[in-house]
């Protein structure tokens, strides 16, 4: 615990409640724009940068022989419809933290452990979610929080060259806080791409949550350092490790 300086958290499904709403928004945009994508296929790419996912799925549907201009035109259209559907959802639906999230955040802040949120969303919708939760209070223009803020940093997928499963968002958070050793960082998420990004970054632990978009059985197939029922269980784990390191 003494070495732990930073925990990276995904947003939708990890720190923000998600009953597969993002998948439903994606499916609605795909159907409206002629993109064939099964529920299983959409679930498999959760956590990744959404525009990159549209590019991947349109390439699969059209084939490599399709003119690039045609493919990118379809990508642009699908992505724009998705943005409209997603933003409408987060403006009108309830936006709530996941079980144990706020209690865990308070615990981490009290122990000087930084909290960084990463996401496959783009900045506009990320800011919308943060605002609905009140987590944007005391964040500066770079979305870095002061000591009164709920979180210490927010990074969206369009602020790095490549989203998850690449480790760039984790590495950017480390750079912001001057952390050079990934063994001082834990990564927490509810999708295979979350777990993979933590592994690629070399985090001390890349932990999966099974009360988000994926079940325990689904995440168990991915390399991980533990699967947790909720952030409340992560809170308990951290408290237990503190007690072991500093017995009364």
């Amino acid at each position: 615990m003494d070495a732990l300086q930073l925990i990276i958290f995904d947003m939708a499904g990890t720190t923000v409640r998600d009953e597969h709403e993002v998948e439903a928004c994606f499916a609605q945009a795909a159907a409206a724009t002629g993109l064939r994508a099964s529920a299983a296929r959409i679930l498999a790419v959760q956590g990744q940068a959404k525009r990159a996912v549209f590019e991947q799925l349109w390439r699969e549907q059209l084939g490599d022989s399709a003119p690039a201009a045609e493919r990118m035109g379809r990508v642009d259209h699908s992505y724009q419809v998705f943005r409209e559907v997603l933003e409408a959802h987060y403006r009108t639906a309830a936006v709530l933290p996941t079980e144990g999230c706020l209690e865990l955040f308070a615990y981490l802040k009290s122990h000087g452990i930084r909290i960084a949120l990463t996401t496959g969303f783009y900045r506009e919708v990320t800011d919308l979610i943060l605002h609905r939760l009140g987590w944007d209070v005391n964040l500066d223009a770079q979305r870095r929080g002061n000591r009164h803020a709920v979180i210490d940093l927010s990074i969206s997928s369009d602020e790095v060259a490549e989203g998850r499963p690449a480790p760039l968002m984790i590495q950017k958070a480390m750079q912001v806080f001057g952390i050079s050793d990934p063994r001082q960082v834990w990564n927490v998420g509810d999708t295979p791409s979350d777990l993979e990004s933590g592994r690629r970054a070399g985090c001390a632990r890349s932990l999966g949550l099974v009360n988000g978009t994926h079940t325990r059985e689904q995440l168990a197939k991915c390399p991980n350092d533990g699967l947790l029922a909720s952030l409340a269980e992560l809170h308990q784990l951290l408290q237990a490790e503190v007690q072991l390191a500093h017995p009364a």
Side-chain angles (χ1 to χ4, degrees):
M1 277 296 298
D2 287 338
L4 179 58
Q5 300 294 317
L6 167 66
I7 301 187
I8 307 287
F9 294 94
D10 170 54
M11 290 186 67
T14 299
T15 53
V16 182
R17 290 189 196 179
D18 178 62
E19 300 295 334
H20 298 279
E21 293 101 332
V22 177
E23 293 162 57
C25 291
F26 194 99
Q28 182 179 338
T33 57
L35 176 63
R36 296 187 298 273
S38 67
R41 189 73 178 92
I42 293 171
L43 177 63
V45 293
Q46 286 303 295
Q48 299 179 26
K50 301 302 182 286
R51 183 182 173 81
V53 171
F54 278 114
E55 290 183 20
Q56 177 183 346
L57 296 181
W58 271 116
R59 184 178 294 107
E60 292 174 4
Q61 181 165 321
L62 296 175
D64 292 332
S65 61
E70 177 188 351
R71 185 175 69 247
M72 295 313 297
R74 291 177 180 266
V75 169
D76 289 342
H77 185 206
S78 293
Y79 184 57
Q80 182 57 40
V81 171
F82 171 71
R83 287 174 62 119
E84 293 167 1
V85 171
L86 187 70
E87 290 175 27
H89 167 74
Y90 279 116
R91 285 194 188 97
T92 57
V95 182
L96 300 167
T98 55
E99 176 191 351
C101 177
L102 294 180
E103 295 83 358
L104 174 60
F105 282 3
Y107 177 82
L108 295 175
K109 294 283 280 192
S110 70
H111 284 73
I113 299 171
R114 303 283 194 177
I115 300 163
L117 302 186
T118 60
T119 177
F121 293 144
Y122 50 95
R123 173 47 61 190
E124 288 88 347
V125 81
T126 302
D127 282 346
L128 175 58
I129 295 168
L130 292 174
H131 183 68
R132 291 291 308 279
L133 290 162
W135 294 356
D136 57 342
V137 177
N138 293 310
L139 296 186
D140 64 18
Q142 286 72 47
R143 280 69 175 187
R144 181 167 178 175
N146 62 25
R147 64 189 180 91
H148 302 293
V150 174
I151 63 171
D152 295 295
L153 183 66
S154 164
I155 300 173
S156 57
S157 63
D158 58 347
E159 295 169 336
V160 292
E162 185 179 357
R164 292 190 293 244
L168 300 186
M169 286 192 287
I170 296 174
Q171 292 167 347
K172 179 173 180 176
M174 291 174 59
Q175 291 167 2
V176 167
F177 297 122
I179 298 171
S180 58
D181 187 353
R183 292 173 295 181
Q184 296 179 324
V185 181
W186 289 14
N187 177 66
V188 183
D190 67 306
T191 69
S193 62
D194 295 328
L195 293 171
E196 177 66 10
S197 67
R199 187 190 69 79
R200 291 192 193 182
C203 293
R205 299 188 191 180
S206 195
L207 302 166
L209 290 186
V210 301
N211 65 334
T213 59
H214 286 68
T215 65
R216 184 177 296 273
E217 291 72 23
Q218 288 168 328
L219 289 185
K221 300 173 185 177
C222 311
N224 67 80
D225 298 302
L227 300 178
L228 307 174
S230 68
L231 290 181
E233 186 174 342
L234 176 57
H235 191 170
Q236 294 169 358
L237 172 64
L238 288 165
Q239 289 177 313
E241 296 208 3
V242 167
Q243 291 174 353
L244 287 173
H246 305 285

